[in-house]
Amino acid sequence: MKYALVTGGSRGIGRAVSLKLSRMGYKVLINYVHNAAEAKNTLDQVRLEGGDGEILMFDVADRQQVSRALEAWETEHPDEYIEVLVNNAGIRRDHVMALMPEEDWSRVLEITLNGFFHVTQALLPAMQLHKNGRIVNVASVTGLKGMAGQSNYAAAKGGLIAATKSLALEVARKRVTVNAVAPGFIQTDMLEGLDEAELKKAIPLGCLGTPDEVAELVGFLVSPAAAYITGEVVSINGGLYT
Ligand code: NAP
């Protein structure tokens, strides 16, 4: 059985990616931090479609929680390894820099950057040992072009993109690919509080993206067809930024 871990698989893009990977034949490990009911909902949907998976609760920003959960999984599955990792967990805490609480600066960086580091470092040895692995990091258009009110989120996603490129060079010889996707505005809980009509005016294609559209792209990057793509950042943003 092949295993894939999706951080933040309880909702939004992570749920759609979990379903996509399940349809591709992976057993999906659905991570969440607060929303147990939504994580179960994702797993129920996976099972309804004939797939299977497990739920793993941990805060990606907390190294000890990550280690405990992943070591326990490895102990329970001594003959298996996780060959696909989608670093998707993320939050936004938007403020102009002048008014940004330190806590909101730090938390966004901790979840996106430290979270990427903790989970990826835990899973890399097995991928390298088996000379087979796929890592996809969910970045953002903001990490490429910047966005007023999002200097914390831009720093986190821009850092994630730079880390993607560096790690890809480190592990290429071990047949592990590392890529990022950079979505624009995608219809999920993360857009709560934003004016949808205003957003659409700024998007050349005139509509928001869907989690399924992002999941298809992630699925492609994980597939054998993308074996020669690494260190790449693929935009999916309706023409917002090219
Ligand atoms: P969402 O619907 O708000 O879902 C966020 C997911 O991340 C949830 O599953 C949440 O778990 C999980 N999460 C948050 N903090 C976590 C932590 N500390 N540890 C583990 N899991 C954590 O957001 P989304 O739109 O699907 O976003 C997914 C990714 O896409 C994020 O990295 C986001 O930055 C990126 N992105 C989104 C958009 C967009 O327009 N939506 C655009 C560009 C990039 P709980 O359910 O337990 O809270």
Side-chain angles (χ1 to χ4, degrees), residues 137 144 160-170 178 230-233:
N137 299 319
L144 291 170
L160 185 63
I161 287 168
T164 299
K165 291 170 187 266
S166 297
L167 182 62
L169 299 177
E170 277 179 31
V178 190
T230 196
E232 198 51 66
V233 186

Side-chain angles (χ1 to χ4, degrees), residues 67 85 89-90 96 133 165-166 188:
S67 305
L85 166 62
V96 293
K165 291 170 187 266
S166 297
T188 71

Side-chain angles (χ1 to χ4, degrees), residues 46-234:
V46 162
R47 287 184 172 150
L48 210 64
E49 293 188 2
D52 202 2
E54 298 169 35
I55 293 173
L56 289 185
M57 193 285 282
F58 55 80
D59 178 346
V60 295
D62 184 327
R63 188 176 187 88
Q64 284 189 348
Q65 284 188 29
V66 173
S67 305
R68 260 201 308 270
L70 294 177
E71 280 166 17
W73 186 88
E74 280 171 12
T75 306
E76 283 165 26
H77 303 79
D79 301 324
E80 316 280 359
Y81 74 105
I82 297 167
E83 68 172 60
V84 170
L85 166 62
V86 182
N87 285 303
N88 166 77
I91 59 164
R92 65 178 182 90
R93 294 280 184 273
D94 300 351
H95 306 276
V96 293
M97 171 78 80
L99 301 176
M100 187 173 303
E102 167 111 27
E103 153 77 12
D104 287 350
W105 170 265
S106 303
R107 191 68 185 142
V108 168
L109 285 161
E110 283 164 10
I111 291 176
T112 298
L113 283 182
N114 299 6
F116 155 78
F117 174 63
H118 295 150
V119 182
T120 306
Q121 196 181 43
L123 300 191
L124 263 179
M127 290 184 189
Q128 291 183 281
L129 186 71
H130 289 89
K131 290 203 166 56
N132 178 37
R134 288 278 199 277
I135 299 171
V136 180
N137 299 319
V138 182
S140 166
V141 64
T142 298
L144 291 170
K145 74 174 276 292
M147 196 82 74
Q150 288 201 311
S151 58
N152 50 355
Y153 189 80
K157 297 299 193 182
L160 185 63
I161 287 168
T164 299
K165 291 170 187 266
S166 297
L167 182 62
L169 299 177
E170 277 179 31
V171 298
R173 295 277 162 162
K174 299 288 186 185
R175 315 303 294 173
V176 178
T177 67
V178 190
N179 291 292
V181 296
F185 295 111
I186 310 298
Q187 187 95 57
T188 71
D189 294 348
M190 191 168 271
L191 295 193
E192 222 173 74
L194 299 182
D195 183 338
E196 213 174 285
E198 279 306 307
L199 294 181
K200 284 180 184 166
K201 280 188 211 160
I203 303 169
L205 277 176
C207 56
L208 302 179
T210 68
D212 285 339
E213 286 165 335
V214 180
E216 286 299 322
L217 176 56
V218 173
F220 170 68
L221 290 171
V222 163
S223 74
Y228 203 55
I229 301 176
T230 196
E232 198 51 66
V233 186
V234 186

